[in-house]
Amino acid sequence: MDLPVTSQQYEVVRTAKHLPDVLRNVLDTAQRRDGGYVLRLTYEEATALNELCSWNVRTDADGNVVAESRPFDDLVRAILMHPDF
């Protein structure tokens, strides 16, 4: 799966706590494109990225995603909606 991500999404994943080596390798080999990056992911890597991002989504008392975790939430949605996932 080729997953386009923004520079902001790329950075929040890169700096996430407990980033597995397999995802670090994906980030290290990402191609720059259109002001962002394209991550080339296997199904297993996409699943790992989805889980990592899901762990980092925070909500407020009303259930709304807080601004700081919006890039993670957007990535979860992009992965789940990707036709190759």
Side-chain angles (χ1 to χ4, degrees):
M1 151 189 326
D2 287 347
L3 182 69
V5 299
T6 66
S7 293
Q8 181 187 24
Q9 290 168 331
Y10 178 88
E11 287 303 319
V12 298
V13 171
R14 181 169 282 293
T15 59
K17 290 183 181 179
H18 311 296
L19 180 67
D21 289 340
V22 67
L23 291 181
R24 186 176 313 282
N25 292 338
V26 168
L27 295 172
D28 289 345
T29 59
Q31 297 176 354
R32 290 190 64 74
R33 190 180 304 160
D34 300 328
Y37 295 86
V38 174
L39 306 180
R40 179 152 283 169
L41 301 158
T42 65
Y43 180 81
E44 290 78 14
E45 292 164 343
T47 300
L49 179 60
N50 186 45
E51 289 177 4
L52 175 74
C53 290
S54 295
W55 294 333
N56 285 283
V57 173
R58 303 289 180 258
T59 58
D60 62 17
D62 295 323
N64 300 310
V65 175
V66 297
E68 307 84 56
S69 66
R70 176 71 54 201
F72 289 113
D73 187 56
D74 291 342
L75 275 169
V76 169
R77 292 173 191 277
I79 293 167
L80 292 176
M81 300 301 292
H82 197 283
D84 294 334
F85 187 67

